Amino acid sequence: MRRPGWAPVLLSYATFVLVGLNAGVGGVLIVSQMRDYGVNEATIGLTFFTSSAGYMAAGATAGALLHRLHVRMALAAGIAVYALGAVATAVRPPFAILVAVQLLVGYGTGVLESILNVFLAELPNSTTLLNRLHAFFGVGAFLGPLLAAWLLQYLSWTAVWLVLGLLCVPLAAGFLVAYPRRAPAAERAAEPRPTGVLRDTLRSPAVVLGSAFLAVYVGLEIGVGTWAYSFLMRVHGESGVIAGYTVSGYWLGLTLGRFLISPIATRAGMSAAGMATACLAGVTAVAAALWALPTASLATAGLVLLGFFLGPLFPTAMAVTPQLVPPRLMATAIGVMNGVSLLGGASLPWLTGWLAQHVGIWTLMPYALALSVVQLALWRLMLARAAAPSPELLPSES
């Protein structure tokens, strides 16, 4: 299969920068939102649930969008829905409407992520493209807290959402110009689907365990990224600007991990399974150290390291999925795993906020440690129960 050209791939990366910005600004803005609306941590956490509900709905309908609209217009529809949610948030609606419009934000990001994952998975050298795609999420997540912390010095939190909405305009134009009318994924979606694919996918032990693994991973990643700002200010007494820069360091570490760890592991002769296991051990060790040695300097360095070791886990799980399930289940498996991952992205950060409210924000690190142990166990079980595992496979680098 030939590459469709460099423009769609680069535009995919730019889109994931926006998705990362969306995730990265949340932890900084949440303090201002709680103050503005007069709500507590558990109540503001309702936005996690509605956003994730929209994201899961996107996973369920992405195939139908590809069938009806094909890749170009499906991406344009996704970015339009996201922009509508961003602008609706930027006008500071009543709190109940704020919670509701996060459905649009979640649906838009879910459509963009699902379609781009499938689109790149069908291109030559797809594992490298997917690893880089998710690395650019980290680029956006690194820039997000910097952008939010800087704008909050001069403007309301709503201005950040207005900026996110405006960034959708050039992306929408790019989709309409650069993407083919019918990508390979769309062509297959337009054909009659084999019966029983979803049923067989949901019955696959590798998919079930992989979905659980990614749910815990996303819950840990977003939970730390969202609440670390409050953790640094309330536990370590750091200023808002320093705390914001530290959270950006966490996302920078995640990005660097996605760019650097895989090629280093390749040169060292490590398998994908070995690389991921080593990263999971690193996450566990760093979370334990941050809990056992609660100092401001260690918290800053430790959060960067935590992000660094977390970085490769999601794209590696996506990249090895074609080796864990039969070929006819691959696209559906990626969609299911990607959609279910946001269950963890909603429930686990909400639980973090509930613990912060009722026990104390200091619980962030022991909570992260517990999740890291669960991650490691699920990863090992996923590989052990895979239908056709290829643990020697390591995402190639070009």
Side-chain angles (χ1 to χ4, degrees), residues 180-316:
R181 291 179 180 272
R182 290 176 63 83
E187 292 174 356
R188 287 219 303 266
E191 299 172 354
R193 292 174 177 265
T195 59
V197 170
L198 180 59
R199 179 199 63 208
D200 293 344
T201 299
L202 295 177
R203 289 179 177 179
S204 167
V207 173
V208 172
L209 290 167
S211 298
F213 170 79
L214 290 180
V216 175
Y217 169 85
V218 173
L220 175 57
E221 176 197 286
I222 295 179
V224 172
T226 298
W227 295 105
Y229 185 79
S230 300
F231 171 78
L232 292 167
M233 291 180 67
R234 289 157 60 178
V235 173
H236 296 292
E238 294 187 355
S239 68
V241 173
I242 297 300
Y245 290 163
T246 300
V247 175
S248 285
Y250 165 77
W251 293 112
L252 175 62
L254 184 136
T255 303
L256 293 176
R258 288 176 175 172
F259 278 123
L260 299 177
I261 290 179
S262 181
I264 291 172
T266 301
R267 284 192 287 270
M270 295 181 67
S271 68
M275 179 184 71
T277 301
C279 288
L280 287 164
V283 171
T284 303
V286 172
L290 288 172
W291 181 23
L293 303 169
T295 65
S297 58
L298 181 62
T300 298
L303 283 170
V304 176
L305 276 177
L306 190 66
F308 184 75
F309 288 124
L310 279 170
L313 297 177
F314 193 106
T316 298

Side-chain angles (χ1 to χ4, degrees), residues 83-396:
L84 179 61
V87 173
T89 303
V91 301
R92 198 208 171 276
F95 184 74
I97 297 178
L98 174 74
V99 173
V101 299
Q102 301 315 300
L103 284 166
L104 300 177
V105 173
Y107 186 83
T109 55
V111 167
L112 295 172
E113 288 192 38
S114 296
I115 293 177
L116 290 176
N117 271 295
V118 174
F119 180 76
L120 294 184
E122 297 189 328
L123 298 181
N125 208 19
S126 61
T127 53
T128 296
L129 295 176
L130 283 169
N131 275 271
R132 290 175 181 168
L133 180 74
H134 288 275
F136 279 98
F137 169 88
V139 172
F142 162 68
L143 295 174
L146 295 176
L147 172 68
W150 178 70
L151 285 176
L152 285 178
Q153 297 180 73
Y154 310 101
L155 299 168
S156 166
W157 62 269
T158 57
V160 179
W161 277 100
L162 181 60
V163 170
L164 295 179
L166 292 174
L167 290 175
C168 295
V169 176
L171 287 175
F175 294 151
L176 296 175
V177 172
Y179 277 84
R181 291 179 180 272
R182 290 176 63 83
E187 292 174 356
R188 287 219 303 266
E191 299 172 354
R193 292 174 177 265
T195 59
V197 170
L198 180 59
R199 179 199 63 208
D200 293 344
T201 299
L202 295 177
R203 289 179 177 179
S204 167
V207 173
V208 172
L209 290 167
S211 298
F213 170 79
L214 290 180
V216 175
Y217 169 85
V218 173
L220 175 57
E221 176 197 286
I222 295 179
V224 172
T226 298
W227 295 105
Y229 185 79
S230 300
F231 171 78
L232 292 167
M233 291 180 67
R234 289 157 60 178
V235 173
H236 296 292
E238 294 187 355
S239 68
V241 173
I242 297 300
Y245 290 163
T246 300
V247 175
S248 285
Y250 165 77
W251 293 112
L252 175 62
L254 184 136
T255 303
L256 293 176
R258 288 176 175 172
F259 278 123
L260 299 177
I261 290 179
S262 181
I264 291 172
T266 301
R267 284 192 287 270
M270 295 181 67
S271 68
M275 179 184 71
T277 301
C279 288
L280 287 164
V283 171
T284 303
V286 172
L290 288 172
W291 181 23
L293 303 169
T295 65
S297 58
L298 181 62
T300 298
L303 283 170
V304 176
L305 276 177
L306 190 66
F308 184 75
F309 288 124
L310 279 170
L313 297 177
F314 193 106
T316 298
M318 285 291 180
V320 303
T321 298
Q323 284 71 47
L324 302 180
V325 297
R328 74 185 188 94
L329 303 183
M330 186 271 291
T332 304
I334 287 177
V336 168
M337 290 168 63
N338 196 53
V340 172
S341 70
L342 258 289
L343 280 177
S347 59
L348 296 178
W350 176 84
L351 182 55
T352 307
W354 186 91
L355 288 171
Q357 178 186 348
H358 294 281
V359 182
I361 192 64
W362 64 267
T363 57
L364 180 63
M365 285 305 114
Y367 183 63
L369 175 60
L371 292 181
S372 69
V373 173
V374 173
Q375 273 191 132
L376 181 56
L378 289 170
W379 174 255
R380 300 305 296 269
L381 287 171
M382 182 180 73
L383 295 179
R385 297 293 301 275
S390 298
E392 294 79 17
L393 178 70
L394 193 70
S396 60

Side-chain angles (χ1 to χ4, degrees), residues 42 44-54 103 343 345-348 350-351:
I44 199 69
L46 294 173
T47 59
F48 300 147
F49 286 102
T50 51
S51 178
S52 293
L103 284 166
L343 280 177
S347 59
L348 296 178
W350 176 84
L351 182 55

